[in-house]
């Protein structure tokens, strides 16, 4: 049972406080938390569960905002962490993003959402589709009306009918002239390549995203051609677990609109679609930089939106970097950003130039890590393939489609 939720900014300011039970949690717990976060740094912020002298704390960090929950009783820690993730996802969906200004401008809606999502410390309604029927998302019209009429509540006067059904994530009277369902495989590749060019880690985090506009109460089954690839699967509450456990088939009644059906990981991949080869040599107060980028394994689709970024070491006074393809920019925070786009067929993109070190530094002792970004439309690099999508009750004029997208996640090349 959670007792309180705080939303903290990057500076440690308490932007929002929501007491969930009759026992009030003092704000001093935030001061204790932030003092330890400053003294211990990133190692403390990466701990999802923290034991303070008086409370157990659960934290989730999204876009620089810390979602902090407190309890004094024993409870499943994963339930608290999952609930905070749901809160972050719902707020991002409602407000069109997460940052300090957006939350402060819409704090009334944030409080209303928390009132519906948790009851006396226990999670209640966390499905976005149902929450939208209870609480209208913010828009210009509602803001103007609140100023004119003086009322700021967006809560509906009637309770959604789905809250009392066996499928609380879906309204039963949904009707469409054209019935459509689209399935997207969206994957992120996380990779670490050491300074010798050896692939240390390469894995895929993927999501099966569904956009469903179907009439009535449809019952769907989705199967994969190679489900044995999947690890660490995580499902939307609409998925029936037994068909997956026995036959690796997703059987579900979908929510209306867009939702994440499942997430997964594919581990221990052997190669990456592109290579980045940095070379840095320093002597006599200067450092020569040369970075090559090219295609290692052609996925059969165009690789675009390729970027390479690295943080200039603190000892660098100035940088003179150019490339034979794309644009190079040195940002105000001393980050070098090289936007390549697509790799041309006639030449391999390269970046070269010199870095000037401080007068007391002869050689470069701190070598940067290169972070790579890319996007590939139409292919899932994990090799996962959708076999078929079936509907038990097929409505008239049904349209269905499948897409795939792979982008770089935490893709690092060390020098």
């Amino acid at each position: 049972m959670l007792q309180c939720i705080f939303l903290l900014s990057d500076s440690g300011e308490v932007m929002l406080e929501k007491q969930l039970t009759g026992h009030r949690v003092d704000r001093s717990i935030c001061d204790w938390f932030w003092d330890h976060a400053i003294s211990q740094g990133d190692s403390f912020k990466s701990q999802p569960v923290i034991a303070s002298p008086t409370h157990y704390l659960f934290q989730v960090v999204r876009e620089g905002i810390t979602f902090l929950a407190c309890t004094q009783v024993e409870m499943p820690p994963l339930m608290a962490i999952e609930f905070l993730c749901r809160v972050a996802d719902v707020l991002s969906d409602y407000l069109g993003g997460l940052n300090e200004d957006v939350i402060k401008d819409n704090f009334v809606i944030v409080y209303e959402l928390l009132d519906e999502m948790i009851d006396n410390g226990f999670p209640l309604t966390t499905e976005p589709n149902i929450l939208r029927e209870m609480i209208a998302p913010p828009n210009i019209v509602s803001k103007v009306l609140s100023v004119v009429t003086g009322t700021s509540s967006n809560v509906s006067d009637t309770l959604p009918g789905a809250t009392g059904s066996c499928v609380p994530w879906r309204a039963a009277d949904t009707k469409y002239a054209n019935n459509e369902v689209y399935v997207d495989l969206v994957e992120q590749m996380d990779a670490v390549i050491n300074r010798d060019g050896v692939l240390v880690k390469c894995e895929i985090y993927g999501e099966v995203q569904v956009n469903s506009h179907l009439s009535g109460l449809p019952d769907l089954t989705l199967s994969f051609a190679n489900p044995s690839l999947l690890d660490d699967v995580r499902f939307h509450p609409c998925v029936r677990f037994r068909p997956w456990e026995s036959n690796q088939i997703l059987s579900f009644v979908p929510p209306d609109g867009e939702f994440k059906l499942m997430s997964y990981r594919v581990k221990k991949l052997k190669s990456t679609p592109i290579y980045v080869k940095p070379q840095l040599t320093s002597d006599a107060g200067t450092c020569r930089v040369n970075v090559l980028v090219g295609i290692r394994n052609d996925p059969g689709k165009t690789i675009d939106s390729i970027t390479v970024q690295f943080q200039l070491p603190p000892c660098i006074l100035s940088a003179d970097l150019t490339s034979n393809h794309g644009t190079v920019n040195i940002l105000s925070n001393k980050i070098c950003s090289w936007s390549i786009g697509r790799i041309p067929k006639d030449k391999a993109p390269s970046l070269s130039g010199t870095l000037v070190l401080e007068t007391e530094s002869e050689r470069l002792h701190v070598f940067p890590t290169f972070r790579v970004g890319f996007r590939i439309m139409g292919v899932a690099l994990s090799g996962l393939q959708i076999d078929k999508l079936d509907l038990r009750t097929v409505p008239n004029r049904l349209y269905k489609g499948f897409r795939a997208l792979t982008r770089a996640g935490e893709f690092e090349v060390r020098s």
Side-chain angles (χ1 to χ4, degrees):
M1 180 180 67
L2 296 176
Q3 294 176 305
C4 185
I5 291 179
F6 298 101
L7 267 65
L8 307 178
S9 67
D10 270 339
S11 61
E13 176 191 358
V14 180
M15 295 187 297
L16 186 142
E17 172 189 347
K18 178 64 175 175
Q19 300 289 337
L20 307 175
T21 63
H23 177 77
R24 183 176 179 82
V25 177
D26 194 86
R27 277 196 177 189
S28 59
I29 192 67
C30 296
D31 296 331
W32 180 93
F33 170 83
W34 203 251
D35 289 341
H36 282 71
I38 294 174
S39 61
Q40 299 183 27
D42 293 338
S43 62
F44 186 82
K45 292 184 179 180
S46 63
Q47 300 177 32
V49 183
I50 303 162
S52 77
T54 56
H55 293 80
Y56 293 105
L57 306 179
F58 308 94
Q59 67 163 329
V60 170
V61 180
R62 294 283 184 86
E63 305 296 333
I65 297 174
T66 301
F67 294 78
L68 187 68
C70 310
T71 184
Q72 287 181 305
V73 299
E74 291 189 3
M75 63 173 294
L78 287 179
M79 185 183 76
I81 296 168
E82 174 64 17
F83 177 74
L84 290 179
C85 290
R86 287 291 184 95
V87 171
D89 291 340
V90 168
L91 292 184
S92 179
D93 180 52
Y94 258 78
L95 307 179
L98 275 180
N99 59 61
E100 185 174 347
D101 294 331
V102 168
I103 289 179
K104 288 181 177 180
D105 291 342
N106 299 277
F107 72 94
V108 173
I109 287 182
V110 176
Y111 274 111
E112 291 172 346
L113 286 170
L114 289 175
D115 280 334
E116 300 297 340
M117 293 183 70
I118 196 165
D119 182 29
N120 197 34
F122 293 95
L124 185 61
T125 304
T126 60
E127 180 57 45
N129 293 312
I130 302 303
L131 287 171
R132 284 180 177 276
E133 294 188 40
M134 293 180 173
I135 302 169
N139 53 52
I140 296 177
V141 175
S142 64
K143 290 182 179 179
V144 170
L145 288 176
S146 65
V147 173
V148 174
T149 62
T151 59
S152 58
S153 177
N154 296 317
V155 180
S156 174
D157 294 331
T158 59
L159 189 67
T163 54
S165 71
C166 59
V167 283
W169 54 84
R170 180 181 181 86
D173 57 350
T174 305
K175 294 182 180 179
Y176 290 100
N178 295 323
N179 292 279
E180 304 172 335
V181 56
Y182 300 103
V183 181
D184 293 340
L185 291 181
V186 181
E187 298 188 341
Q188 289 187 350
M189 173 172 279
D190 298 333
V192 175
I193 301 170
N194 67 15
R195 61 184 304 172
D196 298 323
V198 178
L199 186 62
V200 178
K201 168 192 172 184
C202 185
E203 65 180 34
I204 290 285
Y205 169 78
E207 294 180 354
V208 179
Q209 298 178 359
V210 179
N211 190 359
S212 170
H213 297 283
L214 300 172
S215 302
L217 202 64
D219 200 329
L220 284 72
T221 57
L222 177 67
S223 59
F224 300 100
N226 45 358
S228 59
L229 293 174
L230 304 179
D231 288 314
D232 300 337
V233 292
R234 179 169 169 257
F235 303 110
H236 188 277
C238 70
V239 175
R240 303 180 182 99
F241 186 66
R242 286 188 178 180
W244 174 263
E245 191 177 35
S246 57
N247 301 310
Q248 280 71 57
I249 293 177
L250 295 175
S251 175
F252 60 98
V253 175
D256 188 47
E258 299 180 4
F259 68 100
K260 181 173 68 176
L261 180 64
M262 69 174 289
S263 62
Y264 59 88
R265 288 191 183 275
V266 178
K267 301 179 179 179
K268 298 181 180 179
L269 298 180
K270 302 299 183 182
S271 62
T272 60
I274 64 175
Y275 66 81
V276 177
K277 296 181 178 179
Q279 292 182 339
L280 286 82
T281 56
S282 59
D283 191 21
T286 62
C287 177
R288 289 170 292 278
V289 179
N290 186 38
V291 183
L292 293 177
V293 177
I295 296 178
R296 183 186 301 276
N297 290 303
D298 192 347
K301 298 289 185 178
T302 302
I303 307 174
D304 59 10
S305 302
I306 300 175
T307 60
V308 178
Q309 290 188 345
F310 63 96
Q311 176 77 52
L312 296 176
C315 62
I316 299 299
L317 290 179
S318 64
D320 182 16
L321 301 172
T322 59
S323 66
N324 64 352
H325 182 77
T327 58
V328 180
N329 294 304
I330 306 296
L331 306 181
S332 59
N333 51 1
K334 297 185 72 174
I335 290 181
C336 176
S337 178
W338 179 21
S339 298
I340 301 172
R342 297 182 180 181
I343 296 178
K345 295 181 179 180
D346 57 342
K347 60 182 177 181
S350 66
L351 177 145
S352 60
T354 57
L355 307 177
V356 179
L357 281 66
E358 295 176 345
T359 54
E360 62 270 15
S361 300
E362 289 290 325
R363 291 177 174 272
L364 192 65
H365 299 287
V366 178
F367 291 89
T369 297
F370 293 78
R371 291 177 171 82
V372 184
F374 61 83
R375 184 185 65 177
I376 310 174
M377 295 292 297
V379 64
L381 288 183
S382 66
L384 183 66
Q385 296 179 353
I386 295 176
D387 183 21
K388 58 182 177 179
L389 175 66
D390 293 329
L391 283 78
R392 292 185 182 179
T393 55
V394 181
N396 295 328
R397 301 179 64 184
L398 173 65
Y399 302 94
K400 57 183 178 180
F402 309 98
R403 293 186 304 183
L405 165 67
T406 302
R407 63 169 68 97
E410 296 294 328
F411 195 111
E412 297 182 352
V413 180
R414 295 167 183 172
S415 62

